[in-house]
């Protein structure tokens, strides 16, 4: 049995990842590729409980390192109970955020530094990484408006400063630059249909023999 592919969607707040995760699922469904959509932090019962802890409250609730360790506690549960078993069964996994978010948010925007995040990553995850990562790049001035008008509660990250979100964007762009084989950047200011078409095209290029309508 061929293992499934692991695809992650990354970027700042309100960049449209969640909508596109659903669109990608529909496309894979039409191609008869069994798949599951999940998210981080979260995706399993335990990791969703950690999600509530880490997203609720004020900025000061957790230090950068505590936040990072909570993210990795959630990620390990998610990887052990959902991601790896699904991939082993040949199921493709589409994940709304993964470890690049830890590098960009905690490592870069919160200022912990890439080395410390990489050390935690290695200790917890070994060499495990996605087969393809789509980076949704957009000016945070545009997304801050979207986030504030989309309704629902704002998380500890939604209410961060523009400065934080600018550092975050740069953090993600640096990740894309150092991992060109895995991370493909798209312009998240484009229309939903244009983005969905780009993602299909990128996936077909990345995975030999894949045909998506
Ligand atoms: P979202 O699901 O609405 O994108 O919210 C998740 C939030 O958690 C988002 O603001 C990014 C943040 N986050 C981190 O800071 N580090 C991580 O490793 C992950 C997965 C998410």
């Amino acid at each position: 049995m061929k293992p499934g592919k692991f695809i992650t969607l990354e970027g700042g707040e309100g960049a449209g990842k969640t909508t596109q995760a659903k669109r990608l699922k529909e496309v894979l469904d039409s191609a008869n590729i069994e798949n599951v959509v999940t998210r981080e932090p979260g995706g399993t019962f335990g990791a969703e409980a950690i999600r509530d802890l880490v997203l609720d409250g004020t900025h000061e609730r957790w230090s950068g390192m505590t936040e990072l360790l909570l993210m990795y506690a959630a990620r390990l549960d998610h990887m052990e109970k959902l991601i790896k078993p699904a991939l082993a069964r040949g199921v493709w996994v589409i994940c709304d955020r993964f470890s690049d978010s830890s590098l960009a948010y905690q490592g870069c925007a919160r200022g912990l530094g890439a080395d410390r995040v990489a050390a935690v990553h290695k200790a917890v995850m070994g060499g495990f990484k996605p087969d393809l990562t789509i980076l949704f790049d957009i000016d945070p001035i545009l997304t801050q408006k979207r986030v504030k008008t989309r309704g629902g509660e704002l998380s500890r990250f939604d209410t961060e400063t523009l400065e934080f979100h600018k550092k975050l964007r740069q953090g993600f762009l640096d990740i894309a630059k150092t991992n060109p084989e895995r991370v493909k950047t798209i312009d998240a200011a484009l229309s939903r249909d244009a983005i969905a078409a780009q993602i299909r095209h990128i996936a077909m290029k990345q995975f030999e023999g894949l045909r998506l309508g």
Side-chain angles (χ1 to χ4, degrees):
M1 146 95 57
K2 260 188 20 197
K5 299 291 184 197
F6 183 34
I7 303 174
T8 60
L9 309 183
E10 294 280 8
E13 322 291 320
K17 293 178 281 76
T18 311
T19 307
Q20 293 297 335
K22 287 188 202 134
R23 302 261 315 235
L24 181 57
K25 179 181 179 41
E26 286 165 12
V27 168
L28 293 179
D29 285 345
S30 306
N32 286 321
I33 296 172
E34 197 183 340
N35 67 90
V36 58
V37 177
T38 184
R39 67 172 181 182
E40 289 214 346
T44 58
F45 184 73
E48 288 290 332
I50 299 174
R51 178 185 176 94
D52 291 341
L53 273 178
V54 83
L55 296 193
D56 292 352
T58 60
H59 308 243
E60 302 78 33
R61 184 175 188 193
W62 307 110
S63 72
M65 186 46 106
T66 314
E67 207 171 78
L68 180 70
L69 295 173
L70 287 169
M71 294 296 178
Y72 270 93
R75 182 161 301 134
L76 184 59
D77 193 64
H78 191 207
M79 183 180 78
E80 287 176 343
K81 294 190 180 140
L82 191 152
I83 300 174
K84 279 199 165 169
L87 295 175
R89 291 198 318 274
V91 175
W92 289 38
V93 177
I94 304 165
C95 193
D96 188 343
R97 297 192 181 283
F98 192 63
S99 50
D100 293 319
S101 278
S102 297
L103 195 50
Y105 278 81
Q106 282 69 47
C108 187
R110 287 258 191 264
L112 276 185
D115 290 351
R116 281 207 275 177
V117 178
V120 173
H121 183 86
K122 191 148 187 280
V124 179
M125 312 291 288
F128 185 73
K129 60 176 195 278
D131 297 300
L132 171 65
T133 297
I134 309 283
L135 171 59
F136 288 64
D137 179 54
I138 187 165
D139 187 332
I141 293 183
L142 298 176
T143 49
Q144 279 208 327
K145 252 196 234 154
R146 270 194 212 173
V147 167
K148 285 185 181 137
T149 52
R150 78 180 163 194
E153 268 181 47
L154 295 180
S155 79
R156 287 175 62 244
F157 296 95
D158 294 329
T159 53
E160 276 290 355
T161 60
L162 185 59
E163 213 41 55
F164 178 94
H165 288 282
K166 281 186 181 163
K167 276 197 227 158
L168 183 65
R169 182 187 195 191
Q170 196 51 53
F172 276 123
L173 289 174
D174 291 344
I175 293 171
K177 213 168 164 188
T178 44
N179 299 275
E181 292 298 314
R182 173 176 67 87
V183 183
K184 309 293 174 191
T185 307
I186 56 165
D187 177 357
L190 294 174
S191 73
R192 286 177 179 182
D193 287 346
I195 293 173
Q198 277 196 22
I199 293 176
R200 278 203 308 276
H201 179 72
I202 290 169
M204 287 193 285
K205 259 183 104 178
Q206 189 81 351
F207 304 124
E208 227 188 283
L210 177 66
R211 287 281 157 269
L212 299 174

